[in-house]
Amino acid sequence: PTLYGLKTLGMVDLVAVDKNLRGFGIAKRMVTESTKWLAENTDVATVGTESVNFPAFAVYQKCGFVPTDIAYSYHIWLDEVLR
């Protein structure tokens, strides 16, 4: 069985735009183009961002996504741990 009983799941998990280039619609364009590809190649598309990344929430919502879930991710930067 697959997630939600579907064959494929696609995800946009990180969209980043240089701070000097923000406000020109670049992130929206990247998400829109990614979504087009996902629509042709997967059964369901999701996006992910940090819970406090309100600019990302705005972009995703402008592209038609709605918040449905909160998940926690834990990261460790080994180069910092091993110093």
Side-chain angles (χ1 to χ4, degrees):
T2 58
L3 185 63
Y4 306 117
L6 301 171
K7 294 190 310 186
T8 57
L9 170 70
M11 174 181 250
V12 175
D13 193 46
L14 178 61
V15 174
V17 176
D18 184 279
K19 65 181 179 179
N20 297 315
L21 297 172
R22 293 178 186 161
F24 294 101
I26 296 169
K28 183 178 178 188
R29 178 73 186 264
M30 289 193 300
V31 173
T32 298
E33 293 302 315
S34 298
T35 303
K36 288 178 186 177
W37 186 91
L38 291 169
E40 294 173 3
N41 295 283
T42 66
D43 294 311
V44 73
T46 66
V47 294
T49 190
E50 295 178 352
S51 62
V52 295
N53 191 340
F54 301 113
F57 272 104
V59 169
Y60 292 144
Q61 288 179 322
K62 287 177 187 176
C63 293
F65 289 91
V66 294
T68 59
D69 192 18
I70 296 174
Y72 296 94
S73 296
Y74 295 89
H75 303 277
I76 187 169
W77 283 261
L78 295 175
D79 61 330
E80 294 177 13
V81 173
L82 299 174
R83 288 184 197 179

